[in-house]
Amino acid sequence: MEEKKRKKMNTIGKINKLESFGLVDGPGVRYVVFLQGCAMKCKYCHNPETWTGQAKLEMTPEQLYEKAIRYKNYWRDNGGITVSGGEALLQLDFIIEFFKLAHSSGIHTALDTSGNPFRMDKEYLKEFDKLMDVTDLFILDLKVMDNKLHEELTSKSNKNILEMAQYLSENNKKMWIRHVLVPNLTDDKKDLKIMHEFIKSLNNVMRVEILPYHTLGVAKWEQLGRKYPLEGYEVPTKEQIREAEQILEVDTYPDYM
């Protein structure tokens, strides 16, 4: 008991930024926590400053909860708290403790993740199961289905990411799927059709979203002294977005929390 208590007290979250009135990171109005750190190096990442472990803020779960709860009146019955990144799952212990506090107050919790840290080993799953117990909604970003392209795009395999989606489905955890659409990179029709079949094989998907590629993060790459890898890539047209939405059948999902 003393060891568990000590571990909880020493759990410090590395945070990049906080957003008190988020409207796109889950249902309703959200208090959004962007954690620091990510092992993937996505070529279209709009938050490359989160890749390192060097945090702008450090807080205990209790400190963050006290800060977030001040905005509860904004959330009403359909909002809550979302933890995003960077890659949130790199700070699994911190999220578990933070979400426990939120659940104790009846607050809806959502986790926005790429799934990269997920592992199908017994010790990891023991902790991940604790996270599932206090997470109402998982928002999973699926980049592409082709593993070779995924490695070129992110520097990492997608095998464990797809395993995570299947594990969430097996455990009946509600999930949203998001896909960033980059013309001539993540818009291959064959790959989108494979993604559609994969999503349809899951029994827990509440919503599927196409997120149009944008170049708002280019300035951040330049500020960090990094060459932007997708220079010259265009944002998708309305027709390209509509075509991808039709392939993924985004209108066929119930769209609720």
Side-chain angles (χ1 to χ4, degrees):
M1 285 296 292
E2 286 301 315
E3 179 62 30
K4 287 184 178 179
K5 186 176 180 181
R6 187 160 55 250
K7 180 180 178 183
K8 180 178 179 181
M9 293 298 292
N10 291 333
T11 301
I12 302 295
K14 295 182 177 182
I15 299 166
N16 178 266
K17 64 179 179 180
L18 303 170
E19 186 177 317
S20 59
F21 203 81
L23 297 173
V24 296
D25 298 283
V29 177
R30 317 292 298 183
Y31 187 88
V32 188
V33 181
F34 295 90
L35 297 184
Q36 189 73 17
C38 186
M40 295 210 295
K41 301 293 180 282
C42 298
K43 290 183 177 179
Y44 53 73
C45 180
H46 59 274
N47 291 317
E49 76 279 11
T50 65
W51 288 0
T52 70
Q54 190 172 359
K56 295 179 181 178
L57 297 168
E58 291 190 351
M59 294 184 183
T60 65
E62 292 79 11
Q63 288 171 330
L64 181 57
Y65 171 76
E66 289 302 323
K67 195 171 185 67
I69 197 68
R70 300 173 194 167
Y71 299 90
K72 191 175 182 181
N73 287 340
Y74 291 115
W75 308 335
R76 307 202 178 190
D77 295 329
N78 67 337
I81 292 173
T82 297
V83 174
S84 184
E87 175 46 64
L89 286 179
L90 289 175
Q91 301 186 52
L92 190 57
D93 291 341
F94 175 76
I95 304 171
I96 291 169
E97 297 304 326
F98 177 52
F99 276 2
K100 280 181 182 177
L101 293 169
H103 257 210
S104 70
S105 297
I107 299 168
H108 182 274
T109 57
L111 183 74
D112 188 354
T113 176
S114 70
N116 170 255
F118 182 82
R119 304 191 303 273
M120 286 294 291
D121 71 69
K122 186 181 295 185
E123 288 305 310
Y124 182 85
L125 291 179
K126 189 184 298 183
E127 294 304 305
F128 191 81
D129 288 351
K130 295 177 185 176
L131 176 67
M132 289 197 301
D133 287 341
V134 290
T135 304
D136 297 305
L137 174 68
F138 286 82
I139 303 172
L140 179 62
D141 182 13
L142 290 184
K143 316 290 186 184
V144 289
M145 297 300 291
D146 181 85
N147 192 48
K148 184 178 179 181
L149 179 56
H150 195 278
E151 290 178 347
E152 293 174 2
L153 180 63
T154 71
S155 79
K156 300 293 182 180
S157 168
N158 67 358
K159 181 177 181 292
N160 58 321
I161 295 169
L162 301 181
E163 287 176 341
M164 176 179 155
Q166 292 168 328
Y167 190 75
L168 291 171
S169 177
E170 291 166 5
N171 286 276
N172 297 308
K173 294 302 299 184
K174 291 180 179 178
M175 180 165 56
W176 287 7
I177 298 289
R178 286 178 166 173
H179 174 69
V180 177
L181 189 72
V182 186
N184 301 313
L185 188 62
T186 68
D187 65 338
D188 180 76
K189 291 180 183 178
K190 181 180 177 181
D191 197 81
L192 287 173
K193 288 175 182 176
I194 294 172
M195 184 178 292
H196 171 250
E197 291 303 315
F198 176 75
I199 295 172
K200 284 294 185 184
S201 74
L202 308 173
N203 63 22
N204 60 334
V205 178
M206 301 289 105
R207 183 174 186 172
V208 176
E209 293 181 321
I210 293 291
L211 302 183
Y213 166 70
H214 61 73
T215 58
L216 298 178
V218 174
K220 293 182 181 179
W221 285 75
E222 293 173 349
Q223 288 168 7
L224 293 169
R226 294 178 177 145
K227 179 177 173 57
Y228 187 63
L230 297 187
E231 187 176 342
Y233 278 75
E234 300 290 336
V235 300
T237 64
K238 289 182 179 179
E239 180 57 36
Q240 288 172 322
I241 296 169
R242 187 159 51 246
E243 187 173 27
E245 288 177 339
Q246 289 172 347
I247 293 174
L248 294 182
E249 295 187 330
V250 300
D251 293 334
T252 65
Y253 294 86
D255 189 19
Y256 60 84
M257 298 204 315

